[in-house]
Structures are given as structure tokens and as C-alpha cells.
Amino acid sequence: MELKNFTEDKNIIEEVAKGSIAEELEIEPGDILLSINDIPVKDIIDYKYLVSDDYVVVAIEKKDGDIWEFEIEKDFDEDLGLVFTNPLIDKAKSCRNKCIFCFIDQLPPNMRETLYFKDDDSRLSFLQGNFITLTNMSDEEIDRIIRYRLSPINVSVHTTNPELRIKMLNNKNAGRIYEILKRFKDANLEVNCQIVLVPGINDGKELERTLEDLSKLYPTVESVAVVPIGITKYREKLKKVEPYNKESANELLKFIFDKQNYFLKKLGTRFVFASDEFFAMTKTKLPKSNDYEGFPQLENGVGLMKSFEDEIMIELKKIKTPINNNKRYILATGTLAYDFIVKMKEKILEKIHGIELTVIPIVNRFFGETITVAGLVTGQDLVAQLSSYDNIDGIIIPRSMMKRDEEIFLDNLTIEDVSKALNIPVISSEVEGKSLIDIIKN
């Protein structure tokens, strides 16, 4: 998640929800929240905790400097309807690790400043699903996670071998991971873990050890995602590492399938799941939907393709008679998902006739050709590789190519910039079957 404001520690109100208590009280964007029940609000967790009572006293500083105080009776847990310019209210906690696989350390220069900020904040993990390493916080902060029951929480583990984790994260505090996770287990928190795999570093026997250790913390540790390292062309001063290839990815999948069978018998759950990249890289058939056990790590790219396929098939089954739509569209994607999107195109053409869909895999020149996922395709690569096409009614791209809350690509080009450069409308589709089918139908 790219934060819009991660340095401001004032509780500046950006938005007031329509129909909310705050709107009724004429609280406005630009006002500042000072306190609740005479207690200063340190961060969003304090806010959520303090505002949950059915009677609260709220102090607001108006834009002209006046202080307004409200005595509010409301339902227990009812929110006031405030959204802050800084989603944390407090300054975001930054990561001091120098992980050998860190993607941010592999970014090119001259991108927007917010992309270079490395967060490692438990509050973002709780609120937005970010993964944290638990190495950049004090014992008091760990205690606060437990006291406030910030759960579920997403943790980047990578390895439970203390010495190896210290080396991989380049942080002397990194070896305490298992000790902290055991504290979470004692507190009955919910945890999802991820392992970024680096060939020859934390795979093989090290991966076996890590999964066995984490399985002892089940059901506190509910699931483990295994994802491959992403390598850009900007690694000149970083440790030399090898990317996954078809052969090594195949070996990894066989290992994961074996471990899933083992854990299914031992724990009643598959417990560990490989990310979609491994399946696309090896052209291995995707697991069945039920095998993902509710898709616990969908946002981490685990089962996203299968979920997307299921949603498309549901939408297509709703079409009782074939639809005729004489349009020509390009479906732009990353090189990794090309075969999968072609398969989806063929399914769509069975129900929607007359339409022409051309799937174009965009080679990532911006980050380097080793980066193959659609979410890291930039506007300039779209322009460069689609400029020869004409008589096209629209270019459909996944919404994941852009910033979550703005239609802007990683290289600062907007969807409007790309549309103008190509003289073709560029249409963003959520990575959901209904969104894509609705665009094509209409």
C-alpha cells in the first residue's frame, strides 16, 4: 500500500462520511481531532479504541482555530465517520532492514517519493493487510499489539532459522521472530505468514524447517504463503541472487504439494500455499478452488488467478443467450499471465460473439524483463508496445497496474496520458470477473 501521507502526525480530517455523526455535528475536512474523553489520540488504533464507547466527549479544532467540544451518545462501536489525511494519524514506522530480496531497494531513481518509503508498521498490517517483519519494533510495541488484539496480522517470516534470518534481513533483531510468534499464540491472535523464497538461500531444508516450526503454531498461524523473489534490473550494488526458472519452480511446487498432503493429514488443513507465479511460470494446472481453503492470502497473489477464473465463469453462466458485440479490444497483461488470459478470452468468446479480443503480453522494459507480473507494468511500456495498433475500441488493463486510490501508473503517467498517447480509450478493470465481463458486454 502506497501511503499518501506518512510523515504528518496531526489528526487532520480529510473526509466526513455522508449521513455520519460527524456530518450532523458539522465537522468538516481540514478540522483537527484533538482528543476523545480528554485523552490525546496518538494514532488510529487509539482512535478506534477510544471512539468505541456509547458515550464520548470529542474535542475538535476548527480551521479558524476555535475549539469545539461535543458530548456524543451513540451505539457501541458506531464510528463517527471521520477519515484522516494520514490513515495512521501517527507517523508511519519505517523499515530499517536491508533485506536481500527487498523490492524497494531495486527501484530505479526519480520515481515519486512515496514509492521509496518502506513501512514496517503493525497498524498497517491490521488495517490494510500489509506484511511486517516484527524486527523494527520494541517489546512495548509487541505488548501493544497483544493488548489491543491487533488481529489478524500479516508477518513476513522468510525463515525461522535465527542466524539465517539475521543475514537475510541484515538486522540483528531479526532472529527473535519465532519467540514473538509464540507470544502471539499464547494471546490467541490470528496470523498469516509469508515466505519470500530466494533460491539457494531459504529454500530446500531451510524451507522444510520453517514450515515445520510454523505448523507448531497452528491455528494461531492460519496460513503460510510462499512467493518467489522479484528481481529488477536495478540490483547492481545488491547481493547477487538467482530468480526462479521453470525447472526450479517445478521442484518447488512438487515440494509444496507434498507438504500440503502432510499437513492435511496432520492438521486438517493444507496450511502452506504457493503463489500464482509458480503455476504460471511452469504452466502447471491451477489447484481446485476448494484447495485454497477460502483463499486466505488472495491479496498476496495466492489463488488470485483461480478466483478470477471462477468469477468469470459465474458471470458467463448468467448469459443465457449469446451476446453480439462488434467491438475490438486489447487485453493488456504482464507476460506471466499471458497464457491464462488467453484461456479466459476463449471462454468469453463462447458467450459473447462478434467481439475481437487480442491479448497482448507487455514486456517490462521499465523494471527489466525478469519482472513479469501485470501489477508492475508501467504507462510508458503500454504506450511503447501498443502504439502500432489502430482501429481498436479500447484497451482493457487490470486496475492493479495503478495506484489503489488514483488512476496513475508507477511511472507517474495517468490513464488519461496513456489514452491520449495511443489515441485509444484505456479502460481499467478490477481484477474481478464481473468487472471484466461488464466492460466487455457493455
Side-chain angles (χ1 to χ4, degrees):
M1 175 64 178
E2 182 184 350
L3 298 176
K4 286 190 297 184
N5 178 357
F6 53 82
T7 58
E8 183 70 70
D9 58 1
K10 289 184 178 179
N11 311 335
I12 301 172
I13 296 164
E14 179 180 55
E15 184 182 333
V16 176
K18 290 186 178 181
S20 66
I21 294 171
E23 183 184 52
E24 186 179 338
L25 296 174
E26 299 182 359
I27 297 173
E28 302 171 303
D31 293 349
I32 297 174
L33 172 66
L34 297 179
S35 65
I36 298 176
N37 298 335
D38 293 324
I39 300 173
V41 179
K42 176 186 175 183
D43 61 16
I44 192 66
I45 303 303
D46 279 346
Y47 170 76
K48 295 283 188 185
Y49 180 76
L50 293 169
V51 82
S52 64
D53 286 342
D54 52 12
Y55 174 82
V56 292
V57 178
V58 177
I60 295 287
E61 181 180 331
K62 301 295 288 182
K63 285 180 280 189
D64 62 5
D66 285 352
I67 307 298
W68 290 11
E69 190 169 277
F70 303 97
E71 296 182 15
I72 302 170
E73 291 186 9
K74 62 182 187 62
D75 292 336
F76 185 77
D77 272 351
E78 182 182 5
D79 193 68
L80 300 181
L82 301 178
V83 177
F84 300 95
T85 57
N86 179 344
L88 291 178
I89 296 178
D90 190 20
K91 294 178 181 178
K93 298 185 184 302
S94 62
C95 180
R96 297 186 297 273
N97 303 335
K98 291 291 291 182
C99 301
I100 62 174
F101 47 78
C102 180
F103 193 82
I104 294 176
D105 287 343
Q106 302 178 71
L107 293 179
N110 303 318
M111 300 178 73
R112 55 181 179 269
E113 181 186 358
T114 50
L115 289 170
Y116 298 101
F117 180 75
K118 296 193 284 187
D119 71 83
D120 197 14
D121 199 307
S122 60
R123 298 164 298 185
L124 287 172
S125 180
F126 173 65
L127 294 169
Q128 299 178 347
N130 295 21
F131 278 85
I132 58 174
T133 66
L134 299 176
T135 60
N136 296 290
M137 55 184 65
S138 64
D139 285 333
E140 290 77 17
E141 289 171 305
I142 299 295
D143 290 339
R144 192 166 186 257
I145 291 174
I146 294 170
R147 183 172 70 253
Y148 278 134
R149 301 198 61 77
L150 300 187
S151 174
I153 192 166
N154 297 324
V155 180
S156 290
V157 175
H158 313 309
T159 178
T160 53
N161 179 335
E163 293 79 15
L164 178 59
R165 195 168 193 263
I166 288 169
K167 289 179 181 178
M168 289 188 71
L169 276 61
N170 281 298
N171 186 318
K172 64 181 181 180
N173 298 317
R176 297 179 56 215
I177 182 66
Y178 199 69
E179 166 197 330
I180 297 170
L181 290 175
K182 282 198 289 187
R183 290 183 63 191
F184 290 167
K185 179 176 173 60
D186 292 340
N188 293 316
L189 301 185
E190 297 174 27
V191 180
N192 291 302
C193 296
Q194 78 165 353
I195 299 169
V196 176
L197 269 191
V198 185
I201 303 291
N202 62 334
D203 56 356
K205 291 183 178 179
E206 290 294 345
L207 178 58
E208 180 107 40
R209 168 184 172 161
T210 299
L211 293 176
E212 193 60 37
D213 285 345
L214 293 177
S215 72
K216 295 173 184 174
L217 302 178
Y218 179 82
T220 288
V221 173
E222 296 184 328
S223 68
V224 180
V226 176
V227 304
I229 182 175
I231 298 176
T232 79
K233 62 184 180 182
Y234 298 96
R235 282 193 65 93
E236 296 90 349
K237 297 179 181 179
L238 301 176
K239 179 179 174 65
K240 182 174 175 58
V241 293
E242 294 297 324
Y244 271 89
N245 55 36
K246 185 176 181 179
E247 182 181 355
S248 55
N250 256 322
E251 290 177 5
L252 184 279
L253 282 179
K254 290 176 184 176
F255 173 84
I256 294 295
F257 292 149
D258 287 343
K259 296 306 293 184
Q260 286 184 329
N261 290 331
Y262 167 73
F263 288 129
L264 202 54
K265 293 175 183 176
K266 181 180 178 182
L267 304 175
T269 172
R270 290 170 180 80
F271 189 63
V272 59
F273 303 90
S275 69
D276 291 357
E277 290 102 316
F278 290 110
F279 291 94
M281 203 181 302
T282 59
K283 303 188 188 304
T284 300
K285 185 179 179 181
L286 293 172
K288 296 177 182 177
S289 300
N290 289 341
D291 292 349
Y292 284 104
E293 301 182 9
F295 299 95
Q297 298 214 33
L298 200 62
E299 290 290 329
N300 206 12
V302 178
L304 188 61
M305 290 199 301
K306 187 60 182 176
S307 176
F308 188 47
E309 179 181 11
D310 289 348
E311 292 166 354
I312 286 175
M313 297 311 295
I314 288 170
E315 294 305 311
L316 292 177
K317 284 179 181 177
K318 294 178 182 178
I319 302 174
K320 301 304 179 185
T321 57
I323 295 174
N324 285 298
N325 183 351
N326 296 312
K327 297 285 186 179
R328 300 181 70 202
Y329 287 114
I330 286 174
L331 299 177
T333 185
T335 55
L336 188 73
Y338 172 72
D339 290 338
F340 171 75
I341 298 299
V342 168
K343 179 184 174 184
M344 294 303 98
K345 177 195 81 168
E346 292 168 352
K347 297 290 185 184
I348 292 168
L349 294 182
E350 291 175 7
K351 286 293 186 78
I352 302 178
H353 298 170
I355 195 168
E356 184 177 322
L357 296 176
T358 304
V359 182
I360 304 295
I362 304 299
V363 177
N364 202 316
R365 311 289 187 200
F366 187 86
F367 290 111
E369 295 184 20
T370 51
I371 299 299
T372 57
V373 294
L376 294 174
V377 169
T378 58
Q380 59 191 263
D381 277 338
L382 286 170
V383 171
Q385 295 173 51
L386 298 178
S387 59
S388 62
Y389 291 88
D390 54 18
N391 296 320
I392 299 294
D393 293 295
I395 297 168
I396 302 174
I397 63 170
R399 183 68 181 77
S400 59
M401 286 184 184
M402 290 172 291
K403 199 175 176 182
R404 182 175 295 186
D405 55 352
E406 293 181 63
E407 291 193 328
I408 181 172
F409 295 90
L410 285 165
D411 58 356
N412 282 339
L413 291 181
T414 65
I415 198 167
E416 184 179 0
D417 294 333
V418 176
S419 297
K420 284 182 178 179
L422 294 170
N423 198 29
I424 303 170
V426 177
I427 308 155
S428 69
S429 168
E430 297 294 340
V431 187
E432 300 168 353
K434 187 178 188 308
S435 179
L436 177 61
I437 299 303
D438 283 349
I439 288 170
I440 293 172
K441 284 195 318 187
N442 298 323

